[in-house]
Amino acid sequence: MSPDFDVYNKNRKLWSNDCNGIINILIAAAKEVFDEEKASSFILGVTEREIEEGILKNFRSDECFWLKREIRDLDLGHKSISRYKDTVGEDDWALRNARLFDNLEMQLKATLPASSIETISVDWSDNAIDPYSNPKHRKYTDELCEAFETRVEDTFNRAAEALSSEGLHDRLLAELAQHTALAQAKCKDFYGREDLMKKIKSYLLSEKVPKKPLLISGTSGSGKTTVIARTMKEALEWRDGKVAIVTRFIGTTRESSRVGTVLASMTRQIQKIYGQEGATDEFQSFNETCIRFTSSLSMATGICPLVVLLDSFEQLDPLEEAMNLAWIPIPLPLNVKIIISCLEEGDIKNKLTDDVKPIEHKLEGFSSSDAVSTLKQLLKQEGRCLTNSQLEEVGAAFARCSLPLFVRLTLQEALRWKSFSPPADTRLKATVQEAVRAFFQRIEQNHGRIFTSHALAYITLARRGLSESELEDILSCDDEVLNEVFSFWVPPIRRLPPLILVRLKNDLDLYIAQREIDNSPVLLWNHQLFKDVAHDMYCSDVTITKTLHENLADFFSGKWSDCEKPFKDRDGKDGSADRRVTAQPVMHGEEANLRKLNCLPWHFMQLQDFSRLNEECLFNIDFLTVKMKFTSVRSVIDDFTDAMTCLVNESKLYGTIRDTIQISQKALFNDVNELPTQLLNRLVKKDDSFRLLLDNCRKVAFPILICDQQLLTSPGGNLQHSFPSHQGRVVSLDLTQDGYTAVTYGKDRKVMIWDVRNGSLVQSFDTGDEEPIKALLAYDDQDIVVVTNQSFSTFHRTSGKRFGNVTFQSLGINVPAVCVAGNARDSKTKLHVHNPFVLAVTNDQIIKAGARTLDVKHMEKHRIDELSEGKIGQGSICVGFVGYIAVTDEDRYQLQVFSLKDFKRLALTRVYPAFELGGNVGLSIEAMCFSKEGDCLFVSNWRDGNILCLDVKDLKETSRLSGDVEPYNFRVTKDEGILYFPSGNKVVLRDKRNHNHTSLADHPCRVLFCATKDFNPLVTVGQDSVIRLFNAGTKLAWPATRSLFEEPENMIQSLCLFRNPRYALALKVATDRSRQVLVQDLLEDKLVRCATCKGNLEMEVYEEEPGNVTAIVRGPSGKLSILDLEHMTATRLGLSTKDLSPRSFRILKKHDGIVAVSSGGDSINIYDLKHNKKEKLPCEKENIANFQVNETETVLAVATEDGSCIVYNLEKQVRLFCLKPEDICPESPDICDFLRVSGVTNDGKLLVLETAELPKIWNIKNDQASSDLEIYWDAGEDIELSHTTVLPGNKLLAATNAGATYVFDIQTGHTLAENSFHRGEVRLSSSQGDTYLTYGEDSQDQVIAVWSKTKMAPMATFTSDQQLDEVTLSEDGKFVVGCLSNPAKIVTWHVQDLSKAREKCMDGRALFRNEVLDMNLKLDEEEPTEDRYSTDDNLESEEEEGGNLDDFF
């Protein structure tokens, strides 16, 4: 094809004439040789044949329509007439075509109903049909397009409704259809392999073979997929159709890319086959998925056995638990066979071999007979033959390489040969790599070199494949490709014609796989070999590769969407055009754009484009938070790790941010929108290189909580990783001997396995419903022994498969003390293994079992002498070594050591003296471990901090390490002889050789466990259940000082906010028990007043005017005073109160008074501050428990210790009614024993009472019970609420002890919102505006969350590394105040969005002009006295002043 346009046109005209002549000859010959029907294939055009097959022969009125274009006044002499009417060639040729067209039109009119024919007319013009300049023509094209779109849409909608009504929309059926289609396509290419198919048949039909899966392994291109497809077909014939076959070609569809979805899908199919369909809900955990799948296998019967076929097993997504093979039961259930194919090398193949131990058949190359047989069948199928010399050439090629892939490529090349092809054109390649290269070169010849090379290069360079639409968009922006494609004609839209890409894909069909990645069907190379060759041919030039990566990056960033891209055409002329490429926002509606999130960073890294990588990805908070939410936090960490590798000069910057995210994982697992908060607080002291990132954090479009102080650990220290682990307390931690893998066991009944080198969770598995005790590594760390309160089990560490379980009931014992110990030789490897035995110790016996053979049959029982005092059981400490085990009694007073050779007791002693009145305190053993040589035991107690070294053989003390901290859960390093253990919030190290000691690894909470090999890393588990990895370094510092810890300095005991948002009033408690009254300027973060006092105080701010700032204070004796905060002087009010929690009094702002419980607790006092007088409201009940006043100060409700509640009209100061326990809860009055008033609604109509069970709602106006709260567990059981707060709008905010919070409609009892955002106890606080606050006080939580009352959703969160106290939301809801201990600090967070800065949140006028920090406050100097108003007789009786409810309302 000549690039010269004139030459091209000349040759085109010549060819047209020749072509017409050839066609006439073919038509004449066809009419003479063939019958009419067969001859028509030479006469009719392709379009007419399609119409004939699709409409005339198979007419369906709901699927066929004809848009008939009618051009009036057509000018047959117009230069562009050939675009609208067939006029090419001689007159008789045109007449023949016209007759054929008229005939087709008549048939269509006769077949289609009038409703399926739509005529759209247009008038011809001098410019032909010109919609760009002719309005009528533009209207015509619009009508044509609209009519087509409407009819196609209606057709598809009808088809979709039909499928839905037939049940074909079912996701499972759609999944099966794709796998079946692939199997059918692969079966067409199956030839030979007779020996292998006989072995597979024998496996499926024989009952004598071992009940194990069959593994078919081989190299890429060896034909594994085709074998599985053929097996799927043959198995039906072998079993005469009486077999259930479940087949999955892994990676073919979205649901077949992850092990969890594969198992769920197969389970549904098996249940359908055997008519035992279960629940259709999504499986909630991998363990549950495994259980359901293995249970479904038992449905197989002898009449209809089950065959499961899994192809390309190595392609399972490793992000899920692909390496956990617990779902493959060994032995297989009766009537079940499983066949798996995978690559012959790789981690999954090794795991299958090691854990499942399948029957394995390795695919080798084709035998010569198979290759020849394949050749003959293919030639016959194509109706071809080869010459003898050509057959010899093919046979020689097969002799050099017999891989199925090479055979296929060779046969494809041979089919192109002609009988007259010269020998030089019939030479085959010697290797499969050369054959692939030749194949690509043929593709280039057929489709164009630039188009082919760029298309294949894009597929090769794309990290996660490319969908067809993506590849089309990318090629449409590649002007080199378009200039080649548009050699002779430039369309009005500068975009790659779709048909060109379709043709290329068809030619690559056998070697391109389509798989679901990021919820999109993408194209990938089916064989690694093709990818390698394509990379070598098209991606080896650095300059070209950079350009291609840039084009990929531009596409995924959306650079050229909705805009014109400039270009130079073939002639070098400049232009620009809209390429109509897909936009690439981070979110598509409610779904994330996973393609952009996962692909864009990679291409920027390959370009070394530091600026765009930061701006669009790694410093873009929207990008990062969406990716964390819809993929994982780990995927973002991996992006920064990749950036460190690709952009070496910026590795320190990216490493710091990566480390910051790693130690923020606890927060990010709860709420990814906390990312900017975590970055701002942890990177507060970093340099300008972080400025863009931190500026972006402050500019996020969603509210965030910004703290005024740095509370979070900065990166760059010893802490390397921090991530939450179990949903509940961790009960044990163990570490492999190489220090690379940690195993934790938690109260959530899960075992988690961690890679401590990169801080990632390898896998987790459930252990059942029994109460966890501990998990121990055994058998050279290959197995995990799990001990519960009912049994012990053995799980394989890498697969999570349980292969041994013994209940204590079956052994006739209570919960024993359990450890692992010993040394033995493996029967297969002949190597010594560490800790191969599980030992259970009771009062009178030691039970020994192999970790690999944990069952009753293989257990040894050895009698031992019983202890004279105490018993051995769950509370005992039990540790093992190569030749010994040491165990205490449950009280941990007695210690005894046994030999593993004969299980004789070597020694028994009481390590610490028994209790003596006025003498010994009776210490018990707190921790114990063997030395690295195993010749001595280290033990410690809970009090003196000393570690004793005892000789194993006689338990006599040989030395001791003195200390001043309590050692527990300690270990000893095997290489340095260092004892280390958690103590408080640190890890303490003691060198037993020179008695040096030090501490490291500061934690924000108490450390429970620690383990290490060489302190790099050191693995710890805190009370917050967070796994932390510390790099303590290879050289440890041993300070001379002996004191490792200081006692807590001080704390904030109570905190009270001013109405002026600028100030807070607090009571600080120091270690010497002295108190200080503090006034903090929150805006400027400084103290403005500080006065020392004695005793506990209860305070509430009263007046807030410059020069007149006061508070009401309850002193230690219960007396109330007005405290002048400016001068810290007190004026006694002559009013005493009872000490109640949470408050003894309350200021009535509306009435300018105080409501307080009398010191005797039998009445309510109302003190008028303006007139300095007091009124008493009698209760006729003793011991008031608490009281509440609604915000409008109209109703006062009082709860008493006997479970009654008295309600007063506060404005008239009269009693309305008294509720007794039998009124509140007639069916069970006992629940009112701990009655408390939770609140009264602002309108004074509803009362909320806390009982021992659910809150009770009382209608004050009607004096009757209101609706009960609708709140239940899933099982239908009531939930106990621990804290409640009344919200505006008659809503109740409530929290449970388990961390769940609820919002109820008090009037109806309906649940408006519920969530399980927190763990454990939750502190509640409400503002006057649209927000309320929750704070998880549990050490596993420590999350502040500010919620919207209208949306019932969290607005902003902050997860603290440190425990916080007195966390409170300001009245206006704009900021949060909390307190730290050690040292005591008041901390603030402001809720920042695009319109609110910290200064605006805390904007209030100054009330204090200077700082006075050394004042003394004197309260209650005289002895407590009776309340002088307690005998006031002016109050009249209830009958005389009784309240009237109608008057009140």
Side-chain angles (χ1 to χ4, degrees):
M1 186 178 291
S2 174
D4 188 306
F5 193 72
D6 293 335
V7 175
Y8 167 78
N9 276 333
K10 180 180 179 181
N11 291 335
R12 183 184 179 193
K13 291 179 181 179
L14 292 174
W15 167 246
S16 296
N17 294 328
D18 292 342
C19 180
N20 292 336
I22 294 172
I23 291 175
N24 286 330
I25 295 173
L26 287 173
I27 291 174
K31 288 181 178 181
E32 184 177 341
V33 174
F34 302 121
D35 58 33
E36 182 178 354
E37 182 176 353
K38 193 169 184 180
S40 66
S41 62
F42 294 89
I43 300 173
L44 304 180
V46 175
T47 303
E48 184 171 352
R49 293 299 299 271
E50 290 175 347
I51 293 174
E52 183 180 290
E53 294 295 329
I55 298 179
L56 302 179
K57 290 184 178 180
N58 300 287
F59 172 68
R60 291 186 59 175
S61 60
D62 58 341
E63 294 180 359
C64 303
F65 62 90
W66 177 16
L67 295 182
K68 183 181 178 183
R69 181 185 67 178
E70 183 180 70
I71 304 177
R72 294 187 291 261
D73 300 327
L74 196 65
D75 182 4
L76 298 179
H78 196 280
K79 62 180 181 179
S80 300
I81 190 64
S82 61
R83 296 185 181 180
Y84 306 92
K85 187 175 181 64
D86 193 355
T87 60
V88 178
E90 300 173 358
D91 291 342
D92 58 342
W93 177 264
L95 291 173
R96 185 187 70 83
N97 288 346
R99 287 195 300 271
L100 290 174
F101 179 80
D102 292 340
N103 181 55
L104 177 62
E105 186 174 12
M106 291 176 59
Q107 292 183 72
L108 283 173
K109 288 180 179 179
T111 304
L112 292 174
S115 59
S116 297
I117 303 174
E118 184 173 352
T119 302
I120 301 174
S121 302
V122 64
D123 293 323
W124 185 264
S125 71
D126 293 340
N127 294 327
I129 303 300
D130 184 13
Y132 296 101
S133 59
N134 190 322
K136 292 183 179 180
H137 289 184
R138 188 181 308 114
K139 180 181 178 182
Y140 153 75
T141 55
D142 291 343
E143 288 179 358
L144 184 64
C145 293
E146 184 178 347
F148 176 80
E149 183 178 341
T150 300
R151 286 187 176 267
V152 169
E153 184 177 347
D154 290 344
T155 302
F156 275 105
N157 287 338
R158 287 193 299 270
E161 291 174 3
L163 289 175
S164 178
S165 63
E166 296 172 9
L168 296 179
H169 67 292
D170 186 276
R171 192 170 65 185
L172 175 62
L173 294 181
E175 175 83 359
L176 298 182
Q178 294 189 63
H179 291 287
T180 303
L182 178 60
Q184 291 173 343
K186 290 293 182 181
C187 282
K188 294 178 182 178
D189 298 325
F190 187 88
Y191 306 103
R193 300 290 190 191
E194 299 299 331
D195 292 341
L196 176 61
M197 295 308 297
K198 288 179 181 178
K199 293 177 181 178
I200 294 175
K201 181 178 181 180
S202 174
Y203 169 76
L204 292 180
L205 300 183
S206 175
E207 299 297 333
K208 298 181 180 180
V209 297
K211 294 182 178 180
K212 296 180 179 181
L214 174 65
L215 174 63
I216 298 173
S217 63
T219 60
S220 177
S222 58
K224 301 181 296 299
T225 301
T226 307
V227 169
I228 293 295
R230 188 68 178 183
T231 302
M232 179 180 175
K233 178 182 179 181
E234 296 287 350
L236 285 170
E237 299 177 4
W238 294 336
R239 286 281 186 178
D240 297 325
K242 298 177 181 179
V243 62
I245 302 177
V246 176
T247 307
R248 294 296 183 272
F249 296 95
I250 305 300
T252 301
T253 64
R254 179 189 310 176
E255 296 211 351
S256 65
S257 298
R258 307 185 67 182
V259 63
T261 52
V262 169
L263 295 178
S265 173
M266 291 196 300
T267 300
R268 286 190 62 201
Q269 183 180 355
I270 295 170
Q271 291 172 341
K272 279 182 175 291
I273 290 172
Y274 292 100
Q276 301 182 34
E277 292 189 53
T280 58
D281 57 322
E282 295 293 332
F283 299 154
Q284 297 299 311
S285 68
F286 181 75
N287 183 64
E288 182 183 3
T289 304
C290 294
I291 292 173
R292 293 192 184 189
F293 175 73
T294 54
S295 297
S296 70
L297 296 180
S298 62
M299 298 177 186
T301 64
I303 298 175
C304 183
L306 175 64
V307 176
V308 178
L309 305 175
L310 294 172
D311 176 60
S312 301
F313 197 74
E314 73 282 351
Q315 294 191 34
L316 284 173
D317 191 341
L319 294 179
E320 205 179 349
E321 302 193 55
M323 302 292 277
N324 189 336
L325 303 177
W327 55 272
I328 303 179
I330 300 298
L332 293 177
L334 192 64
N335 304 313
V336 175
K337 298 294 174 64
I338 296 177
I339 300 179
I340 299 171
S341 80
C342 73
L343 289 174
E344 63 180 3
E345 295 180 354
D347 293 339
I348 287 189
K349 163 63 167 52
N350 295 335
K351 280 190 63 62
L352 280 168
T353 304
D354 295 341
D355 299 350
V356 181
K357 297 178 175 57
I359 305 166
E360 184 174 357
H361 290 310
K362 185 176 179 180
L363 276 179
E364 304 291 349
F366 268 168
S367 65
S368 57
S369 59
D370 281 342
V372 173
S373 172
T374 301
L375 173 63
K376 291 180 179 179
Q377 292 184 55
L378 189 58
L379 290 172
K380 182 179 180 180
Q381 179 179 317
E382 296 291 330
R384 298 287 307 279
C385 62
L386 297 178
T387 66
N388 292 334
S389 61
Q390 290 172 347
L391 285 172
E392 291 176 2
E393 176 66 19
V394 174
F398 289 165
R400 294 191 296 269
C401 180
S402 59
L403 281 176
L405 178 59
F406 180 80
V407 171
R408 179 186 296 166
L409 289 168
T410 299
L411 294 178
Q412 284 182 324
E413 173 63 18
L415 288 173
R416 298 175 63 248
W417 296 344
K418 310 296 186 296
S419 59
F420 52 82
S421 296
D425 294 343
T426 59
R427 293 287 180 262
L428 295 173
K429 304 301 179 181
T431 66
V432 66
Q433 289 84 358
E434 292 177 358
V436 173
R437 183 178 290 271
F439 171 74
F440 285 155
Q441 290 169 347
R442 289 200 305 274
I443 297 292
E444 290 179 18
Q445 294 172 3
N446 293 338
H447 299 276
R449 185 185 63 80
I450 296 177
F451 167 67
T452 301
S453 62
H454 284 215
L456 301 190
Y458 287 133
I459 296 174
T460 303
L461 293 176
R463 194 179 194 185
R464 299 171 70 86
L466 291 173
S467 68
E468 288 187 58
S469 61
E470 289 171 347
L471 183 56
E472 184 181 320
D473 280 349
I474 294 166
L475 290 168
S476 296
C477 292
D478 189 331
D479 290 305
E480 284 190 74
V481 171
L482 295 185
N483 286 338
E484 180 186 63
V485 173
F486 301 152
S487 296
F488 305 105
W489 178 69
V490 179
I493 299 176
R494 189 172 176 83
R495 183 176 171 83
L496 184 77
L499 189 59
I500 293 178
L501 188 57
V502 171
R503 291 169 178 165
L504 175 66
K505 181 175 176 290
N506 287 339
D507 281 355
L508 295 170
D509 186 49
L510 293 175
Y511 311 109
I512 288 286
Q514 185 167 322
R515 295 191 174 88
E516 291 279 346
I517 297 180
D518 300 332
N519 297 336
S520 298
V522 300
L523 302 176
L524 296 165
W525 290 115
N526 210 3
H527 300 278
Q528 181 65 36
L529 184 62
F530 275 78
K531 184 174 182 179
D532 294 339
V533 174
H535 191 281
D536 183 57
M537 291 180 66
Y538 307 125
C539 308
S540 57
D541 186 289
V542 175
T543 303
I544 294 176
T545 302
K546 184 176 181 180
T547 301
L548 297 176
H549 273 298
E550 185 174 7
N551 292 342
L552 287 162
D554 287 348
F555 168 73
F556 285 114
S557 70
K559 182 176 180 179
W560 302 118
S561 63
D562 300 323
C563 67
E564 293 189 347
K565 182 180 184 295
F567 66 89
K568 283 185 180 292
D569 63 15
R570 289 174 59 90
D571 299 327
K573 296 180 181 179
D574 292 329
S576 63
D578 186 349
R579 311 306 172 88
R580 312 288 179 91
V581 298
T582 308
Q584 296 292 337
V586 174
M587 294 289 295
H588 289 305
E590 297 296 320
E591 297 295 325
N593 184 354
L594 296 179
R595 298 295 298 156
K596 174 173 184 170
L597 295 173
N598 290 327
C599 298
L600 183 58
W602 172 253
H603 294 297
F604 281 147
M605 292 175 201
Q606 301 310 301
L607 288 171
Q608 302 280 302
D609 194 334
F610 172 79
S611 177
R612 291 185 68 187
L613 174 64
N614 292 349
E615 181 180 348
E616 299 188 38
C617 302
L618 300 188
F619 285 12
N620 186 310
I621 301 301
D622 187 36
F623 183 96
L624 295 176
T625 53
V626 171
K627 184 164 185 176
M628 287 180 179
K629 181 178 181 180
F630 288 90
T631 58
S632 66
V633 177
R634 167 57 55 183
S635 66
V636 173
I637 292 174
D638 290 342
D639 280 346
F640 281 96
T641 302
D642 291 339
M644 293 171 62
T645 303
C646 297
L647 289 88
V648 179
N649 293 335
E650 304 297 334
S651 61
K652 182 178 180 182
L653 171 67
Y654 292 128
T656 301
I657 301 172
R658 182 200 63 178
D659 293 346
T660 303
I661 296 174
Q662 285 180 165
I663 62 179
S664 303
Q665 289 181 83
K666 175 186 175 183
L668 300 176
F669 283 178
N670 289 328
D671 182 10
V672 297
N673 282 354
E674 202 174 315
L675 176 64
T677 299
Q678 292 285 315
L679 292 173
L680 286 169
N681 205 264
R682 295 188 191 275
L683 296 174
V684 66
K685 297 180 180 179
K686 296 301 176 182
D687 55 40
D688 288 347
S689 57
F690 298 90
R691 180 177 297 175
L692 174 61
L693 175 64
L694 299 182
D695 285 347
N696 289 341
C697 289
R698 297 183 185 95
K699 297 175 184 177
V700 291
F702 48 86
I704 58 175
L705 278 173
I706 297 183
C707 186
D708 67 337
Q709 301 179 37
Q710 184 177 6
L711 295 187
L712 307 179
T713 305
S714 293
N718 290 337
L719 181 60
Q720 302 295 306
H721 285 271
S722 174
F723 35 84
S725 57
H726 297 268
Q727 297 289 325
R729 186 172 65 85
V730 178
V731 299
S732 71
L733 165 70
D734 208 352
L735 189 70
T736 56
Q737 298 174 72
D738 59 15
Y740 295 156
T741 305
V743 176
T744 58
Y745 192 24
K747 284 290 188 180
D748 58 0
R749 298 172 175 82
K750 283 187 176 181
V751 172
M752 293 186 173
I753 302 171
W754 308 85
D755 186 334
V756 302
R757 290 169 293 185
N758 57 25
S760 62
L761 177 65
V762 177
Q763 68 162 311
S764 66
F765 53 85
D766 294 330
T767 60
D769 298 329
E770 300 169 5
E771 187 68 22
I773 295 179
K774 59 183 173 182
L776 305 169
L777 285 162
Y779 209 87
D780 259 359
D781 302 330
Q782 297 177 42
D783 304 330
I784 301 172
V785 176
V786 171
V787 185
T788 71
N789 65 336
Q790 298 180 32
S791 66
F792 43 30
S793 307
T794 306
F795 293 80
H796 197 279
R797 196 191 88 198
T798 55
S799 68
K801 184 186 296 294
R802 188 201 304 257
F803 54 82
N805 175 257
V806 175
T807 64
F808 302 137
Q809 184 178 8
S810 67
L811 297 174
I813 60 175
N814 294 322
V815 183
V818 180
C819 69
V820 293
N823 199 338
R825 188 185 296 273
D826 186 275
S827 59
K828 293 184 178 179
T829 65
K830 307 303 181 183
L831 299 175
H832 284 281
V833 293
H834 179 64
N835 287 340
F837 304 119
V838 183
L839 298 139
V841 187
T842 67
N843 287 334
D844 58 359
Q845 63 180 327
I846 297 176
I847 302 173
K848 175 185 174 183
R852 285 286 170 92
T853 55
L854 189 61
D855 58 63
V856 177
K857 296 179 181 179
H858 294 88
M859 287 187 167
E860 302 175 8
K861 297 184 178 180
H862 302 272
R863 303 296 301 181
I864 60 173
D865 295 332
E866 294 190 36
L867 294 172
S868 58
E869 296 181 10
K871 63 177 182 178
I872 299 173
Q874 180 177 343
S876 301
I877 302 177
C878 186
V879 295
F881 199 68
V882 173
Y884 309 99
I885 57 171
V887 62
T888 70
D889 64 335
E890 286 199 304
D891 294 326
R892 302 183 181 180
Y893 294 140
Q894 307 286 338
L895 172 62
Q896 49 189 335
V897 176
F898 296 90
S899 169
L900 286 183
K901 291 182 179 180
D902 51 14
F903 293 94
K904 291 184 178 179
R905 180 191 289 161
L906 300 180
L908 168 65
T909 187
R910 178 162 186 150
V911 178
Y912 301 105
F915 172 78
E916 294 179 3
L917 189 61
N920 298 317
V921 295
L923 298 176
S924 61
I925 298 172
E926 179 66 25
M928 178 170 67
C929 73
F930 279 96
S931 65
K932 67 173 184 177
E933 298 87 3
D935 57 349
C936 67
L937 272 170
F938 295 107
V939 299
S940 68
N941 61 62
W942 57 269
R943 182 172 181 177
D944 60 21
N946 295 329
I947 299 177
L948 307 184
C949 181
L950 309 179
D951 189 292
V952 170
K953 295 180 180 179
D954 56 16
L955 292 181
K956 292 183 178 180
E957 181 180 338
T958 60
S959 62
R960 70 171 53 197
L961 298 173
S962 299
D964 52 5
V965 294
E966 170 195 347
Y968 64 96
N969 287 331
F970 54 61
R971 297 169 178 259
V972 58
T973 59
K974 294 186 176 181
D975 53 350
E976 295 183 52
I978 297 174
L979 281 163
Y980 61 97
F981 52 87
S983 189
N985 65 343
K986 296 186 179 182
V987 175
V988 177
L989 283 64
R990 291 188 182 172
D991 192 325
K992 72 183 188 67
R993 297 162 296 193
N994 53 28
H995 292 215
N996 282 337
H997 59 220
T998 188
S999 65
L1000 47 81
D1002 285 329
H1003 284 65
C1005 61
R1006 183 168 174 254
V1007 186
L1008 298 180
F1009 304 99
C1010 59
T1012 188
K1013 178 186 177 185
D1014 55 9
F1015 298 99
N1016 185 19
L1018 168 67
V1019 186
T1020 68
V1021 178
Q1023 197 172 23
D1024 55 3
S1025 294
V1026 172
I1027 308 293
R1028 292 178 174 85
L1029 304 181
F1030 293 86
N1031 181 359
T1034 56
K1035 294 184 179 180
L1036 300 171
W1038 300 96
T1041 177
R1042 295 190 56 80
S1043 179
L1044 296 177
F1045 300 100
E1046 299 178 359
E1047 293 185 7
E1049 295 178 3
N1050 41 45
M1051 60 177 289
I1052 301 294
Q1053 190 176 60
S1054 64
L1055 180 69
C1056 176
L1057 297 182
F1058 284 57
R1059 291 184 297 279
N1060 183 327
R1062 182 167 176 170
Y1063 296 99
L1065 177 64
L1067 179 65
K1068 175 182 174 181
V1069 181
T1071 52
D1072 61 0
R1073 299 189 180 277
S1074 66
R1075 269 65 170 171
Q1076 290 179 323
V1077 176
L1078 310 176
V1079 178
Q1080 179 93 356
D1081 186 328
L1082 302 177
L1083 180 60
E1084 298 186 6
D1085 190 23
K1086 67 178 182 179
L1087 284 177
V1088 293
R1089 292 294 181 272
C1090 178
T1092 303
C1093 62
K1094 294 183 179 180
N1096 290 328
L1097 306 180
E1098 183 181 341
M1099 303 181 293
E1100 186 175 347
V1101 178
Y1102 174 39
E1103 296 166 304
E1104 299 183 23
E1105 296 295 331
N1108 185 28
V1109 187
T1110 62
I1112 306 299
V1113 180
R1114 180 185 184 275
S1117 65
K1119 292 183 173 62
L1120 295 184
S1121 301
I1122 295 181
L1123 175 62
D1124 182 344
L1125 296 175
E1126 176 73 29
H1127 305 96
M1128 287 296 176
T1129 57
T1131 302
R1132 185 173 298 172
L1133 294 175
L1135 184 66
S1136 295
T1137 66
K1138 179 183 178 182
D1139 185 15
L1140 292 179
S1141 177
R1143 59 204 307 185
S1144 303
F1145 69 91
R1146 175 176 166 175
I1147 296 176
L1148 301 175
K1149 300 170 186 175
K1150 179 179 176 182
H1151 297 88
D1152 199 11
I1154 301 172
V1155 59
V1157 179
S1158 66
S1159 58
D1162 58 350
S1163 64
I1164 293 289
N1165 292 324
I1166 308 296
Y1167 191 91
D1168 188 334
L1169 289 168
K1170 186 175 181 180
H1171 301 95
N1172 197 27
K1173 67 176 184 178
K1174 179 180 71 172
E1175 297 291 338
K1176 183 167 75 171
L1177 301 179
C1179 291
E1180 297 183 357
K1181 298 283 183 180
E1182 294 186 357
N1183 297 325
I1184 293 175
N1186 87 315
F1187 69 91
Q1188 290 286 353
V1189 178
N1190 63 345
E1191 291 296 327
T1192 55
E1193 299 181 6
T1194 57
V1195 174
L1196 165 67
V1198 178
T1200 62
E1201 297 289 353
D1202 68 349
S1204 299
C1205 178
I1206 306 169
V1207 181
Y1208 297 90
N1209 181 330
L1210 193 56
E1211 293 180 314
K1212 295 185 178 182
Q1213 297 185 10
V1214 296
R1215 191 178 76 172
L1216 297 177
F1217 52 79
C1218 177
L1219 299 174
K1220 297 180 180 180
E1222 52 269 26
D1223 299 325
I1224 299 170
C1225 190
E1227 62 276 9
S1228 54
D1230 292 345
I1231 69 170
C1232 295
D1233 289 348
F1234 301 98
L1235 185 74
R1236 296 294 183 271
V1237 179
S1238 176
V1240 182
T1241 57
N1242 288 346
D1243 59 10
K1245 294 182 180 180
L1246 297 171
L1247 168 68
V1248 182
L1249 300 172
E1250 290 186 24
T1251 69
E1253 295 181 358
L1254 289 179
K1256 296 295 181 180
I1257 310 300
W1258 196 267
N1259 189 309
I1260 298 175
K1261 180 177 181 179
N1262 300 328
D1263 191 14
Q1264 65 182 23
S1266 186
S1267 302
D1268 289 336
L1269 301 182
E1270 298 176 355
I1271 175 171
Y1272 302 97
W1273 289 115
D1274 292 339
E1277 301 176 355
D1278 291 345
I1279 298 176
E1280 182 177 348
L1281 301 179
S1282 58
H1283 301 286
T1284 56
T1285 297
V1286 175
L1287 302 178
N1290 292 342
K1291 297 175 183 177
L1292 179 67
L1293 172 64
T1296 71
N1297 288 327
T1301 56
Y1302 298 83
V1303 178
F1304 303 100
D1305 184 318
I1306 298 178
Q1307 289 182 312
T1308 64
H1310 294 165
T1311 301
L1312 302 178
E1314 61 178 290
N1315 68 79
S1316 300
F1317 194 82
H1318 295 284
R1319 300 184 189 180
E1321 291 280 346
V1322 180
R1323 181 184 179 93
L1324 306 176
S1325 177
S1326 178
S1327 72
Q1328 297 294 327
D1330 183 47
T1331 54
Y1332 66 87
L1333 174 143
T1334 60
Y1335 171 65
E1337 297 181 319
D1338 193 279
S1339 60
Q1340 296 185 41
D1341 195 337
Q1342 298 174 181
V1343 179
I1344 300 171
V1346 178
W1347 302 70
S1348 167
K1349 294 177 183 177
T1350 53
K1351 297 181 180 179
M1352 304 297 179
M1355 296 169 51
T1357 62
F1358 182 93
T1359 303
S1360 175
D1361 285 350
Q1362 305 179 54
Q1363 187 71 39
L1364 302 169
D1365 300 312
E1366 302 294 323
V1367 180
T1368 306
L1369 184 64
S1370 64
E1371 284 193 1
D1372 58 10
K1374 294 181 179 179
F1375 66 94
V1376 178
V1377 181
C1379 302
L1380 289 174
S1381 299
N1382 192 26
K1385 288 183 181 179
I1386 297 176
V1387 186
T1388 64
W1389 297 258
H1390 67 279
V1391 183
Q1392 176 173 300
D1393 56 25
L1394 293 177
S1395 62
K1396 295 179 183 178
R1398 182 172 185 272
E1399 291 73 17
K1400 292 183 179 180
C1401 293
M1402 301 176 184
D1403 185 22
R1405 59 178 175 172
L1407 301 178
F1408 300 88
R1409 288 171 289 183
N1410 50 30
E1411 299 177 13
V1412 183
L1413 305 178
D1414 57 351
M1415 308 170 75
N1416 289 315
L1417 175 63
K1418 296 182 180 180
L1419 294 171
D1420 300 342
E1421 288 184 325
E1422 61 184 32
E1423 292 296 321
T1425 59
E1426 289 290 329
D1427 185 350
R1428 58 184 174 184
Y1429 294 99
S1430 62
T1431 58
D1432 189 356
D1433 296 325
N1434 294 329
L1435 294 175
E1436 300 186 14
S1437 65
E1438 176 186 348
E1439 289 76 8
E1440 294 172 338
E1441 292 290 339
N1444 186 299
L1445 294 179
D1446 292 331
D1447 292 341
F1448 176 64
F1449 290 103

